[in-house]
Amino acid sequence: LYREAVTDEWEIAFSRVLSTPEGKLKGVVAIDLNIKDLEKLLTEKKSFKTEHSYIIDRIGRIIVHPDEEVIGKILPDADKYIIGEKGELNYCFFHGNTKSFYSTIPSVGWIIITAIDPWEIRYPIIRHLITFLLVVIMLSLLLGIISNRIFSKRFAEPLIELNKRVQHITTGKTAASNPYKYSNYETAMIAANIEKLADDALRKSEEKYALIVNNIADTVTILDFQMNIVFVTPSIERLRGFSVEEVMTQNIQDILTPDSLKLAGEALA
């Protein structure tokens, strides 16, 4: 390793002795390399912005480095960190705690060291991980919305419609006669069957109580707040001689004596 006399640039010389098979000296071949040319080879294929490479020899002397001021200097304790022909270090001789990788060129004994800022290695991994998580979250939300829509259409809406129809049946209102129009055939059939059961149960109950009321010996009369008769059992005809239709046109005043009417008013007050 020397400086060229004319250009004052760093150069490195390689030499090899040429000899005959019998071991006689025939000559010497010497090759000089410009350090800047080697540096260009190291830097032309950088994968990271913070990536920088340099070369040292077996004793830790710096042969190639972007900073010419350090060329020729010996790195202390290089043999403690560099073990084997290749490996990695969590340390850089020039930048402290930096991720470094090294490999040896056996033919010349040079060691190429490449240092990279650890954050520049981690950043793409973290970025892709965050992107993946965001995609998973978005897909989960989308699937949740779709599942909720499917559940509402296939289960909730038929049950809501069923509830309305059962309320109409139990309150005496006319229930919709159109069939359930939902994609879930099984749910629609269950809803229709429950509606039919409710309708049948109410009809049987009405028939049962109608049978009791129509055949009861006692007379049951129901009045509104204006003392008008709104319901009376058929036994009224046997008791008073009036038909149900005739009684329904009467007022309580037409039935009770003044004294009884007074007592009735006091009881209802």
Side-chain angles (χ1 to χ4, degrees):
L1 183 66
Y2 66 95
R3 280 188 180 274
E4 209 275 332
V6 178
T7 62
D8 196 36
E9 292 182 349
W10 283 103
E11 300 215 1
I12 189 167
F14 295 91
S15 61
R16 182 177 291 274
V17 176
L18 300 177
S19 59
T20 64
E22 292 80 16
K24 293 182 179 181
L25 179 65
K26 292 188 65 176
V28 178
V29 176
I31 300 175
D32 294 334
L33 293 176
N34 188 287
I35 295 300
K36 287 186 177 180
D37 293 336
L38 289 175
E39 183 187 338
K40 288 179 182 178
L41 291 174
L42 290 176
T43 58
E44 67 182 3
K45 293 184 179 180
K46 292 176 62 174
S47 301
F48 300 92
K49 291 181 179 180
T50 59
E51 177 183 338
H52 59 279
S53 301
Y54 54 96
I55 300 175
I56 63 174
D57 61 13
R58 297 181 188 276
I59 63 173
R61 180 174 54 182
I62 300 171
I63 300 173
V64 180
H65 196 281
D67 184 3
E68 291 189 358
E69 297 296 325
V70 302
I71 294 176
K73 294 183 178 180
I74 296 178
L75 297 176
D77 301 326
D79 57 339
K80 290 173 57 178
Y81 294 99
I82 299 174
I83 302 173
E85 292 188 356
K86 59 182 178 179
E88 60 180 76
L89 307 169
N90 292 317
Y91 177 79
C92 175
F93 296 102
F94 296 96
H95 300 88
N97 293 324
T98 302
K99 196 72 172 177
S100 298
F101 303 88
Y102 66 89
S103 60
T104 303
I105 304 175
S107 60
V108 293
W110 290 356
I111 301 170
I112 302 175
I113 301 175
T114 301
I116 305 170
D117 185 348
W119 172 247
E120 193 173 3
I121 299 175
R122 298 189 193 106
Y123 176 73
I125 300 173
I126 295 173
R127 184 183 62 189
H128 285 98
L129 180 60
I130 292 174
T131 302
F132 174 76
L133 290 176
L134 289 175
V135 170
V136 170
I137 291 171
M138 293 299 294
L139 288 175
S140 299
L141 291 174
L142 181 61
L143 289 174
I145 293 172
I146 294 174
S147 300
N148 181 65
R149 179 61 180 164
I150 293 173
F151 175 82
S152 175
K153 192 70 177 175
R154 292 173 65 87
F155 297 100
E157 290 184 11
L159 294 179
I160 293 172
E161 179 67 20
L162 171 63
N163 181 58
K164 291 180 181 179
R165 295 192 183 191
V166 171
Q167 287 182 349
H168 287 166
I169 292 171
T170 55
T171 55
K173 296 180 181 179
T174 302
S177 58
N178 55 303
Y180 291 88
K181 297 180 179 180
Y182 300 102
S183 59
N184 189 348
Y185 176 77
E186 293 81 3
T187 303
M189 289 301 298
I190 292 172
N193 290 334
I194 293 176
E195 180 184 352
K196 186 176 182 300
L197 288 174
D199 189 30
D200 291 345
L202 183 63
R203 180 175 50 79
K204 290 179 180 178
S205 178
E206 289 176 346
E207 292 175 353
K208 174 182 176 182
Y209 287 107
L211 180 64
I212 295 173
V213 168
N214 290 332
N215 294 278
I216 192 172
D218 296 329
T219 299
V220 178
T221 305
I222 300 176
L223 309 174
D224 62 13
F225 288 107
Q226 284 74 42
M227 295 297 178
N228 295 313
I229 299 173
V230 295
F231 175 81
V232 66
T233 55
S235 58
I236 190 70
E237 186 172 355
R238 186 172 60 254
L239 179 66
R240 295 184 54 214
F242 295 100
S243 66
V244 173
E245 291 76 13
E246 291 174 328
V247 174
M248 292 293 290
T249 62
Q250 298 175 353
N251 187 279
I252 194 67
Q253 296 175 354
D254 302 327
I255 301 174
L256 300 179
T257 64
D259 292 337
S260 297
L261 184 62
K262 182 179 180 182
L263 291 173
E266 291 176 352
L268 295 174

